Amino acid sequence: MQLARARDRAGAAKAAGATMLFRRMIWAPRIFQAGGAVVERDPLHVLDRFDQQIATDKIEGGIIGNFIEYLFQYLAEAAPLPTARKRAPPRVVGEREEQSPPPASRLPAKSVESARDERPATRYYVSYARADASDPNREKDVDALCTEAERRGVKVFRDKVDLQPGEQISTFMRELGEADRVFIFLSNKYLTSLYCMNELFEMWRNSRENEADFLRHVRVFTLDGTHIEQAGDQLKYVEYWTEQRDNLAQQINKVGWMKAGDPIRNKAILMDKIANEVSGLIGLIADTVQARTFDEFLKIGLADGPGT
């Protein structure tokens, strides 16, 4: 009943052209324990048992932490801005004015150990696959971007430079996903790397899986030899990640999902998400006009402001 009412309200909000749509947020864990056994299911099939899916639904099948993080982010963006209140005139005490304490936003910020906490107001990151024996020059354009950005006084955060010993890779990936602008160097190695795809899907998630928001915050440069234009090109990566997911699931089944531990289970969930959604995300990138030259890529990436 509540799902049906929410569906009707979401449809009415969309029809009215609301700037912030009313959405149904649904958590249907893909992997859960029932009667002592670990069960795997399709979150979409779970929803089908109760109500029909609509375009604005957000359905999360991963860990509850990701769902809560997305929910808080959406609520923060949907909340109305506070209205300004008139400031009361200062009281006169003796021959001096009584001073009000400074607002919290003007108090000194607490220090944090991470070196990246003293970051510029506008945050630029770069997402790429590292060079290896198959392509020793894969980072050449990444080096050129960072050099040119530094010349212009723009800091571009890069894992091999800014990720310090003792820091978690997953934390850096989340920060990258939340950046104002991310430069993506797309290659076949990128599209078959779990680390790179994790970064790409963090960007997608922090854009609320909204195509316009995603495209405003990223600039993509496709390296030579990377083909994503045709349906067959895109389906090749669906096939790859489906195989990777199934291979990992078989390994987990040998020891049991409960014994596998959260990091490995989360990796399986991420692979499943990639397998199910990579074609659409690659298709979105392929459908977007990109820079024709590297110089043009630098211009549109560094000259215009993030979010434009």
Side-chain angles (χ1 to χ4, degrees):
M1 177 67 75
Q2 295 299 326
L3 282 172
R5 289 178 177 175
R7 168 167 44 83
D8 293 340
R9 182 174 175 184
K14 184 176 182 181
T19 55
M20 180 61 72
L21 293 178
F22 179 87
R23 304 183 71 181
R24 298 191 302 181
M25 309 291 188
I26 302 166
W27 183 56
R30 180 177 299 277
I31 299 169
F32 71 109
Q33 189 172 7
V38 176
V39 179
E40 183 176 4
R41 60 185 182 175
D42 187 334
L44 296 181
H45 291 168
V46 176
L47 176 60
D48 287 340
R49 293 170 53 192
F50 300 95
D51 195 35
Q52 67 191 64
Q53 183 184 5
I54 57 177
T56 56
D57 283 345
K58 167 62 179 178
I59 305 171
E60 176 64 53
I63 59 176
I64 186 64
N66 288 345
F67 175 73
I68 294 174
E69 183 178 352
Y70 177 90
L71 180 61
F72 281 145
Q73 177 185 350
Y74 182 83
L75 291 175
E77 294 175 355
L81 294 175
T83 56
R85 292 184 298 179
K86 293 184 178 180
R87 185 177 179 183
R91 289 190 300 150
V92 177
V93 181
E95 295 182 353
R96 61 181 177 84
E97 290 185 351
E98 182 182 48
Q99 300 296 321
S100 301
S105 59
R106 292 169 55 188
L107 293 175
K110 294 181 179 179
S111 60
V112 183
E113 294 181 357
S114 173
R116 291 188 303 282
D117 284 323
E118 295 184 4
R119 65 187 74 180
T122 302
R123 295 170 297 155
Y124 293 81
Y125 277 70
V126 60
S127 179
Y128 64 101
R130 292 190 179 186
D132 56 21
S134 66
D135 187 358
N137 296 318
R138 189 179 292 123
E139 295 183 51
K140 179 185 67 174
D141 290 333
V142 181
D143 295 336
L145 165 71
C146 294
T147 299
E148 177 61 19
E150 184 177 4
R151 188 185 71 81
R152 300 189 188 194
V154 176
K155 169 63 179 175
V156 176
F157 289 97
R158 183 178 181 180
D159 57 355
K160 66 189 301 181
V161 174
D162 296 288
L163 188 58
Q164 302 300 317
E167 293 186 321
Q168 290 185 299
I169 297 174
S170 58
T171 299
F172 186 88
M173 288 181 177
R174 284 194 297 271
E175 293 175 353
L176 183 149
E178 297 168 356
D180 301 289
R181 164 138 311 152
V182 182
F183 300 97
I184 302 173
F185 287 83
L186 210 61
S187 63
N188 180 65
K189 180 65 180 293
Y190 186 103
L191 292 169
T192 54
S193 163
L194 189 61
Y195 284 110
C196 294
M197 296 304 286
N198 195 354
E199 292 177 355
L200 184 64
F201 275 82
E202 277 291 314
M203 301 174 221
W204 178 239
R205 184 175 66 84
N206 279 283
S207 298
R208 295 175 293 131
E209 301 187 1
N210 179 282
E211 294 182 359
D213 285 350
F214 176 77
L215 294 175
R216 275 194 294 267
H217 287 91
V218 304
R219 292 294 180 265
V220 182
F221 187 74
T222 303
L223 299 183
D224 292 341
T226 308
H227 303 290
I228 60 173
E229 297 83 7
Q230 304 300 320
D233 299 329
Q234 299 162 21
L235 292 175
K236 175 180 67 176
Y237 296 106
V238 177
E239 182 179 357
Y240 174 83
W241 285 109
T242 300
E243 182 179 352
Q244 294 295 308
R245 177 202 64 190
D246 293 346
N247 288 342
L248 180 58
Q250 290 177 6
Q251 291 181 290
I252 295 175
N253 286 334
K254 292 179 181 178
V255 300
W257 285 84
M258 294 300 292
K259 295 180 181 178
D262 284 341
I264 293 179
R265 284 197 298 268
N266 291 342
K267 184 178 293 186
I269 292 170
L270 174 61
M271 286 183 177
D272 183 68
K273 185 176 181 64
I274 296 172
N276 288 325
E277 300 181 18
V278 66
S279 179
L281 200 47
I282 293 177
L284 173 62
I285 294 173
D287 189 49
T288 305
V289 177
Q290 296 184 25
R292 295 169 178 80
T293 65
F294 185 68
D295 288 340
E296 186 179 0
F297 174 72
L298 290 177
K299 180 180 179 180
I300 65 175
L302 293 173
D304 66 340
T308 59

